[in-house]
Amino acid sequence: MLNQLRDIVEHVSRVEDIYQALEVFVERTCDAINSECCTIYLSNHQKQRLELMATKGLTFSGKQLHIGFNEGLVGLVHRTAKPLNVAQASIHPDYKFFPQLGEDVYQAFLATPIVYRKRILGVVVIQQKKTRLFSDTEESFLVTLAAQLAVLIASEQQQGNWLLQERKISVVSGLSACNGIAIGPIWQGNYEPSLSDVAPASVIDIERDKEWLLVAVESALKEFRRLRKQLDSDLNKDALAIFDLFTHLLNDPKLRGDLIQQIEKGDTADWALRQVIERYSARFGRMTDVYLQQRAQDVRELGQRLLYFLYHSQSQEIQLDKPVIFVVNELTTTLLASVPRDKLLGVISLQGGVNSHAAILSRALGIPSVIGPNLKNIDADDRHIILDGYSGEVLLDPTEQEMVEYQKLQDEELEVRSMVESELYLPAVTVDKTPITILLNTGLGPDDSYFYFNLVDGVGLYRTEISFILKQAFPSEDEQVEIYRKVLACSAGKPVVMRTLDIGGDKSLPYFPMEEENPFLGWRGIRFTLDHPDIFLIQIRAMMRAAIAQKSELKVLLPMISGVPELDSALALIAQAYHEVALTHPRVKKPQVGIMLEVPSMIYLLPVIADRIDFVSVGTNDLTQYLLAVDRNNSQVSELYEVVHPSVLLALKQIQGACEHANIPVSVCGELAGDPIGVLLLLGLGFTQLSMNSANVANIKYVIRQSNLKELEELASQAITKPYASNVYELAFDYLEGRGLAGFVRPGKH
Ligand code: PEP
Ligand code: MG
């Protein structure tokens, strides 16, 4: 049976067209089970019916056939989501006769649902004339086949081909990455340059262009590896071959050599690329072998992709003449940074997680964003849509009534915003008079945080990565001094917590590619910088030099600490950097040093490290990811990334308790500290320092001013006894609602 199974899968995967693949499937399955009839029905949830997609053995020859979810044995299998094995179908109480199918000749009936990640995609049925019960082996064979079929169908549907007779897609759902409503035209970022448009140009700096090209080649290689891995689980292996070919060509020293030589002759990198690619493609085109001739097209495609990476390795501002809802395959901080803020109504990212750094940036900028909706293959440019950043829904064909309703919501949103903003200058003090320290998260991108420095108590997290990501090489010590000095100078004499370079995970440097199986568990944050003490020392020296003679106090924060040896090594390097700077700058001060508490191991080590550190900053984004073993960037498991998961709350309680006991100042700088629900819980758990994006400051201050700390303590003590994150959420939501603050989480709707 295993051989037959492999044989079917192999034959199905060889066919490029999905409809043909389904035909091959029914044909081969009949042969393998030795039955006379096999039929595939797919679920149309919108119309609540199963649609016949392929059959061998039924006489049906019309255009469409569908069976309601509550009709007949096929409907029964769909409803119960269980296989059904019946010796004589016609006497089963749920049997329904469909005259147009010609199935009255069949008696034996075996069917199983086609299930993909808990979704019932359809039903596959085997029928036979002779009255008999199918064997257990046949049943499990069909179940296994249906599981394979599910992958094939799901992958096709993920590409936007729903395979259904009629399906008008008017609403698609994703996950909310930033609250808010956007109404406007879609723009799919079709600014991809064409190789044929590259004009002749002379190079100004040969070394720079060579470097530029090599960075693009590395980025392309990395992307091909990623795509190849992503497609690896698909049945269609043919799609993989192209990435192997591209990788092979890019690793070929001859191609690289020709490109470099062309630049050395005096051409810019893009012009050199066009010429070399055209030469290669013409060479393939002239070959007599048809297979090799066809490779000319592949070479042109490779050139096109390289050009894309060439242009996207440099941050370029995208030109737009009107505000749009930006649709991107995967949002990156660089991409987001390249679109002018006033032209961005909203963002739809087809892939990624709601806690990716790009999503955090979209929240920092206050741009309504949705991640993961299925918009592929929908030609949507310029189409006016509604993006509901609260529910994660995208309305592709809004009715007039929906337009009016959402417009009203948007107006209400504006009203709430102007109300809270009018009170922005008031202090963050609870009703029962406990002052809460409000700090800023900044540095991730071009947000307008500087305006907020006067309204908060300092900077709780300055992410230094972005100044590294936007460069062509590691920034020099002097360059860094200048950047950090600006931040310290702007911060109105208040403390600034600067985090050392936290790359790896979803933040890689274009000039320092990292290739790892599990990047979030790999060479990230302090692990990288301790392996590169040169880079670490430069950064620490730059921070200390920048702080000389500034009113604002510098504090240094270490990311991704997972054990005491890492902390000790980092502290030793910081001491070394201090002595080095002191040699030439005697006024330099030793900064306070703290750790990000984001790797769960450190919860247990807080008493041990208490006398080594000056403060703790809780990174709930990573703490949640590592505690729950859920990749914060993976949309497939986003639903499991529960920010108010009971375990996360218990971990936070323990951290707060340990810090209080050891007298270590503690703040929270993950996204939870900027979320009204999260803030209620954090205050209730005893945290009094919150660091958040500037876009959240007004709301959070307002929420704090309406809250009573005693009540929140009671709320948190109830929350930590709840078994589900949804219970915790409801509890906190009710509190918000009771104070007329529900609109901060979801205005109007629900
Ligand atoms: C965190 O992990 O919570 C955090 C603030 O750091 P980042 O989101 O940059 O990883
Ligand atoms: Mg982190």
Side-chain angles (χ1 to χ4, degrees), residues 237-300:
K237 297 282 178 228
D238 280 356
L240 299 178
I242 190 74
F243 296 113
D244 291 342
L245 176 73
F246 285 168
T247 307
H248 179 75
L249 281 169
L250 282 185
N251 282 325
D252 181 358
K254 171 94 177 82
L255 178 67
R256 285 188 191 217
D258 285 353
L259 287 166
I260 296 293
Q261 217 178 20
Q262 196 66 39
I263 297 174
E264 282 169 348
K265 277 188 192 158
D267 295 333
T268 53
D270 51 351
W271 174 228
L273 176 69
R274 176 175 171 184
Q275 293 173 86
V276 173
I277 288 294
E278 282 178 354
R279 262 200 322 264
Y280 271 62
S281 127
R283 215 176 290 155
F284 274 112
R286 282 196 300 272
M287 291 181 180
T288 42
D289 181 301
V290 180
Y291 175 81
L292 289 175
Q293 245 179 35
Q294 285 169 358
R295 302 289 70 81
Q297 173 59 30
D298 295 338
V299 171
R300 275 196 300 277

Side-chain angles (χ1 to χ4, degrees), residues 4-12 25 28-29 32 141 145:
Q4 282 164 317
L5 199 98
R6 251 194 231 128
D7 181 66
I8 296 177
V9 172
E10 219 153 81
H11 276 88
V12 167
F25 182 94
R28 298 249 154 201
T29 305
F141 180 75
L145 269 181

Side-chain angles (χ1 to χ4, degrees), residues 154-166:
S155 125
E156 195 68 22
Q157 292 188 339
Q158 266 158 17
Q159 315 278 322
N161 180 8
W162 289 92
L163 301 167
L164 297 173
Q165 292 155 359
E166 279 169 52

Side-chain angles (χ1 to χ4, degrees), residues 682-702:
L682 288 170
L683 295 191
L685 288 170
F687 290 95
T688 54
Q689 294 190 39
L690 307 173
S691 192
M692 65 201 73
N693 298 324
S694 58
N696 298 327
V697 171
N699 281 1
I700 297 303
K701 275 183 149 187
Y702 193 85

Side-chain angles (χ1 to χ4, degrees), residues 490-553:
C490 286
S491 64
K494 295 167 183 165
V496 174
V497 175
M498 286 195 181
R499 186 171 73 182
T500 61
L501 188 61
D502 183 20
I503 52 158
D506 63 347
K507 288 174 290 189
S508 63
L509 304 174
Y511 46 89
F512 197 95
M514 294 172 170
E515 198 50 48
E516 291 180 290
E517 273 292 313
N518 287 310
F520 273 111
L521 297 182
W523 208 32
R524 192 186 162 197
I526 201 74
R527 301 174 184 180
F528 169 81
T529 43
L530 286 181
D531 283 350
H532 275 283
D534 47 338
I535 293 171
F536 189 72
L537 283 169
I538 288 178
Q539 186 174 39
I540 298 288
R541 282 198 304 262
M543 286 178 180
M544 289 184 188
R545 280 176 52 200
I548 294 171
Q550 295 281 339
K551 272 206 252 137
S552 294
E553 182 197 354

